[in-house]
Amino acid sequence: MDEMNQTSGEKTQQSTQQNVQQNTQQNIQQNIQQNIQQTPVQSVPAGGAMPAKKKFSIGKKILELMEKLVQVFKEYPVTLGAIILAAALGAIIIDCDFDTENLEKCIVFFLWIAGQALFVEEYFRAKWIPRIVGYVVSVPIAYFFVYLISYEEEVLFGYPIDVVGEVTAKIYGFYGIALVLSAVYHIFKRQEETFEEYCYKTFFALIRTSIVYGMFAAGLAIILLIFNELIYDTDSLIGRVELFLASGIYVPALLLALSGKKGESGKFVRGCVLFVAEPLLIVAMAIIYLYIIKMFVTNSVPSNSVFGIITALFIAGMVIWTLAVGVGEEENIWCKIAKILPYVFIPCIVLQCWSVAIRIADCGVTLSRYMGVALVIFEVCYMVLYILQRRLEKETIACTLWVVIIMAFLILLMPGINYSDTIIRSQLKQLSNYKITEDLVGSKQERAVNSIYRVLQYDCGYKGKQKLKEKYSEKELEILEDTSAYRYNEENISERRIDSHARIKDLDVSEYQMITYAETDYLTDFVIDSDMLSAVELRADDGEVLYVTDMTPFVEELIGICEENSENELNRFDLEAYPVVKLRDFDIKITGLSFKYDLDSEIIDYFNIQGYVMK
């Protein structure tokens, strides 16, 4: 009995050991199979060669790009639609032979619609009711601008048209700046990255997009040019196609870059920023510091050119150090240096303040000096925002866009401190230091008075002219005008130019049997008694010579007009009101005139006319 129990126990123990071994083998096999499934297997060809890399598919890349462009069209449908319509109308009027005034108005209208729609579609991406309201509001705003630029009466809303036009231009200028910059700011806020990173990626995405599209546009133009020459002349098709494709491909691609849908920049771009542009900027800053040391050593004042040089350095520097920080390599020595460069630039701002303050103290505020002061204020605001971002570690540099918007309002519209009010106040104070009498003309003070008068008369719009009339009598204004004429003679400005074009709406041809559009060759460097004028050729659009005639009487008439005018450029020469020119063999109604004559040398620098020849 004991033997049977012992035998049974041994069998049970053997059976248990077999089960354990089987389970262990099964678990090992399952683990091996799982590891094989999870581990990527690369097949190595015979001979030990590495597997080939994945092939580049241009078709797949084009498909991906088209999908992105379609997405951009979905996000900004009215913006891009209005731009495409404007481009289509522009393609129609290229080299056309009919009145395009209404089409040009439509182009301006659609462009204003596009600018406003960009703001609406960016700020109200998923809110259809505000978007629709924005679309509706943008229509009368765009229409009023078109109405204003085509208004031909002298009075509007009870005010002279030049006054209304100037004020409205400032309002629309600020409006456009505010729309675009606020839209860009909102685009940035949607990105999960710093402002420097956004600028870095966007800047080079825009450059890359422009280069790629430029190559595409150039290649397409070459193909069409070859087709024109060898197969069939398509008559201005190149310009029309390029313009239409730019609106349908290039502009959406730019929006694609701005909206954050862009790839990473490569090592080449990174190298250009960190190892080329940034070292050059450091060298330029070092030269400015050497100049500052030279000024203190020689006890001199800043030169006239130093402000412009530092301005260009700031613009380039702001771009370079922003891009360098945007590379995002915190441990890179060049990225660390880029964060210090704005602090290094601060003494340059002090030098700018010194330079512009000296000029204002001597001659008052002019338009260029006012803009210089505005630039210095912007630089100071930028530095404050930059320091706050570095100290508080908050995104404040992006607020630079709002600084530009606020400054645009102050410069253009803010009463008392806008550019025209500030310049008028300063220059009238300067002019009050001189006594306006007939003895002024030809005196040592004439140059300074003339400079002040020209600033008030030509740089300050209607307000400048209005203040002059309020402060000075008609006799004094005549003396001031005489100083201007005297300055022309003093500086030997003897050239007279007429560059004018007319839109002929109504032309009486009842007494003629034939009318043909023609253009003369571009004649250069000759005198009035030259043989060139005795046999001038008029050609058709295809270059065929239609007529040959003597243009001497007409050119003599132009010279008489130039001698009677003191203006260097006869911008008020009205071709529409100019009568039909009677020539030896036919009459001509001129629609385009280019003429330049030197009163001293009596040389005609160039002469060209276009118009309707009538017989």
Side-chain angles (χ1 to χ4, degrees):
M1 190 72 177
D2 292 335
E3 292 179 355
M4 292 178 63
N5 291 335
Q6 184 178 2
T7 303
S8 176
E10 290 176 354
K11 289 182 179 180
T12 302
Q13 185 176 2
Q14 291 175 358
S15 175
T16 302
Q17 290 176 353
Q18 289 177 357
N19 290 334
V20 169
Q21 290 176 355
Q22 289 177 359
N23 291 334
T24 303
Q25 290 177 355
Q26 289 177 357
N27 291 333
I28 293 172
Q29 290 177 354
Q30 288 177 358
N31 290 333
I32 292 174
Q33 289 177 357
Q34 288 177 357
N35 290 333
I36 291 174
Q37 291 175 356
Q38 293 175 359
T39 304
V41 179
Q42 294 182 350
S43 59
V44 179
M50 294 299 294
K53 293 183 179 180
K54 188 177 180 179
K55 293 183 179 180
F56 174 80
S57 174
I58 188 171
K60 184 177 180 181
K61 291 293 182 182
I62 293 176
L63 185 60
E64 291 177 355
L65 177 61
M66 294 304 297
E67 289 177 353
K68 291 180 179 179
L69 291 178
V70 169
Q71 182 62 31
V72 172
F73 270 93
K74 290 180 179 179
E75 293 178 359
Y76 307 99
V78 177
T79 301
L80 295 176
I83 291 175
I84 290 175
L85 286 174
L89 295 176
I92 292 173
I93 67 176
I94 290 178
D95 198 23
C96 66
D97 55 357
F98 56 84
D99 187 6
T100 62
E101 184 177 1
N102 290 330
L103 291 180
E104 291 170 5
K105 293 178 183 178
C106 291
I107 292 173
V108 175
F109 174 81
F110 284 126
L111 291 178
W112 267 108
I113 290 292
Q116 295 174 97
L118 175 64
F119 173 86
V120 172
E121 291 169 342
E122 177 56 37
Y123 269 85
F124 307 108
R125 298 173 64 84
K127 302 175 181 178
W128 279 102
I129 294 179
R131 283 179 70 167
I132 294 173
V133 172
Y135 294 148
V136 173
V137 171
S138 68
V139 172
I141 295 175
Y143 176 79
F144 179 73
F145 183 84
V146 174
Y147 173 77
L148 188 65
I149 62 175
S150 59
Y151 190 77
E152 297 181 353
E153 302 296 329
E154 296 184 358
V155 177
L156 181 62
F157 305 136
Y159 295 93
I161 185 61
D162 58 340
V163 174
V164 178
E166 183 178 327
V167 173
T168 308
K170 292 178 180 179
I171 294 174
Y172 272 87
F174 165 72
Y175 180 60
I177 292 172
L179 285 178
V180 174
L181 292 185
S182 58
V184 172
Y185 179 82
H186 194 269
I187 291 173
F188 154 70
K189 293 298 289 183
R190 290 193 288 106
Q191 317 303 317
E192 296 180 357
E193 54 194 3
T194 66
F195 186 67
E196 289 94 341
E197 291 172 343
Y198 172 77
C199 290
Y200 174 73
K201 294 177 182 179
T202 300
F203 182 80
F204 287 105
L206 293 174
I207 292 178
R208 184 168 57 245
T209 298
S210 299
I211 292 175
V212 172
Y213 179 77
M215 294 173 63
F216 169 74
L220 182 62
I222 292 173
I223 292 173
L224 291 175
L225 184 62
I226 294 173
F227 183 85
N228 284 355
E229 293 294 328
L230 301 181
I231 307 299
Y232 179 74
D233 187 359
T234 54
D235 187 24
S236 304
L237 180 64
I238 295 178
R240 292 185 170 96
V241 171
E242 295 286 2
L243 181 60
F244 192 74
L245 287 180
S247 66
I249 297 178
Y250 182 56
V251 174
L254 293 180
L255 268 178
L256 181 69
L258 282 173
S259 60
K261 301 176 178 63
K262 45 192 175 280
E264 298 292 330
S265 299
K267 293 182 178 180
F268 175 77
V269 170
R270 169 184 169 278
C272 288
V273 173
L274 296 181
F275 308 129
V276 178
E278 188 176 341
L280 291 175
L281 176 63
I282 294 172
V283 172
M285 283 187 173
I287 295 173
I288 297 297
Y289 271 81
L290 290 175
Y291 177 76
I292 294 173
I293 295 172
K294 174 188 172 184
M295 282 196 309
F296 282 105
V297 171
T298 60
N299 195 25
S300 58
V301 297
S303 66
N304 289 328
S305 60
V306 71
F307 187 91
I309 293 172
I310 296 178
T311 298
L313 184 64
F314 172 75
I315 295 171
M318 184 172 60
V319 172
I320 291 170
W321 65 58
T322 300
L323 297 179
V325 174
V327 172
E329 299 178 5
E330 296 294 334
E331 300 302 321
N332 189 300
I333 184 64
W334 290 104
C335 292
K336 292 180 179 180
I337 294 174
K339 294 180 180 180
I340 303 173
L341 290 179
Y343 300 102
V344 179
F345 187 81
I346 291 176
C348 298
I349 300 178
V350 177
L351 183 58
Q352 280 181 302
C353 295
W354 185 8
S355 175
V356 74
I358 292 173
R359 272 70 195 179
I360 291 176
D362 290 342
C363 303
V365 181
T366 62
L367 182 59
S368 59
R369 292 165 194 155
Y370 181 91
M371 298 308 296
V373 172
L375 177 65
V376 170
I377 294 173
F378 170 77
E379 291 174 359
V380 172
C381 293
Y382 174 84
M383 291 301 171
V384 171
L385 293 172
Y386 185 86
I387 293 171
L388 288 175
Q389 176 157 319
R390 293 289 169 249
R391 292 289 183 266
L392 304 178
E393 296 184 355
K394 292 183 179 181
E395 195 62 55
T396 59
I397 298 180
C399 295
T400 304
L401 298 174
W402 290 108
V403 172
V404 175
I405 294 173
I406 294 171
M407 292 192 65
F409 173 77
L410 298 177
I411 292 171
L412 295 174
L413 300 175
M414 187 66 180
I417 63 174
N418 64 64
Y419 77 91
S420 58
D421 288 352
T422 305
I423 294 172
I424 290 170
R425 189 166 54 249
S426 174
Q427 293 300 316
L428 284 177
K429 183 179 179 180
Q430 292 285 324
L431 192 57
S432 64
N433 296 325
Y434 301 94
K435 190 174 182 179
I436 310 302
T437 63
E438 294 181 352
D439 296 334
L440 182 64
V441 178
S443 67
K444 293 181 180 179
Q445 298 176 332
E446 182 270 342
R447 180 186 293 269
V449 172
N450 172 258
S451 177
I452 297 170
Y453 173 73
R454 291 179 65 81
V455 170
L456 291 169
Q457 184 73 7
Y458 301 111
D459 293 347
C460 300
Y462 77 92
K463 286 185 178 180
K465 298 180 178 68
Q466 190 178 60
K467 288 295 182 181
L468 283 172
K469 291 179 180 179
E470 291 175 1
K471 294 286 185 180
Y472 296 95
S473 64
E474 292 185 6
K475 180 63 177 178
E476 289 173 326
L477 291 175
E478 289 178 3
I479 294 172
L480 290 172
E481 186 66 31
D482 289 341
T483 63
S484 179
Y486 185 83
R487 292 286 295 130
Y488 272 109
N489 294 331
E490 184 185 283
E491 294 175 358
N492 294 321
I493 300 179
S494 58
E495 293 180 346
R496 300 290 182 268
R497 287 189 294 272
I498 302 175
D499 290 290
S500 180
H501 292 80
R503 226 184 238 120
I504 306 301
K505 298 180 180 179
D506 298 304
L507 182 60
D508 184 8
V509 295
S510 58
E511 61 179 293
Y512 303 100
Q513 295 180 348
M514 182 186 301
I515 179 171
T516 311
Y517 187 81
E519 178 179 2
T520 65
D521 291 330
Y522 208 84
L523 309 179
T524 59
D525 295 327
F526 60 96
V527 294
I528 188 63
D529 56 354
S530 171
D531 293 336
M532 295 176 67
L533 285 176
S534 61
V536 177
E537 296 179 343
L538 287 98
R539 301 176 181 272
D541 290 338
D542 59 2
E544 178 186 0
V545 177
L546 301 177
Y547 307 101
V548 178
T549 188
D550 184 9
M551 285 283 181
T552 304
F554 175 61
V555 174
E556 287 177 343
E557 190 173 337
L558 291 178
I559 292 175
I561 294 173
C562 291
E563 291 174 342
E564 294 172 2
N565 284 269
S566 61
E567 293 180 337
N568 183 239
E569 295 186 17
L570 281 67
N571 295 323
R572 299 177 183 176
F573 190 84
D574 189 1
L575 272 182
E576 293 186 19
Y578 198 81
V580 173
V581 178
K582 305 288 185 179
L583 297 175
R584 181 181 58 195
D585 303 315
F586 51 81
D587 299 341
I588 181 170
K589 177 59 180 177
I590 300 175
T591 60
L593 170 62
S594 298
F595 181 77
K596 183 179 179 182
Y597 178 71
D598 191 294
L599 297 176
D600 291 343
S601 64
E602 298 184 346
I603 292 177
I604 300 169
D605 288 341
Y606 54 75
F607 171 74
N608 170 261
I609 63 171
Q610 309 99 43
Y612 294 99
V613 176
M614 299 175 291
K615 299 184 69 173

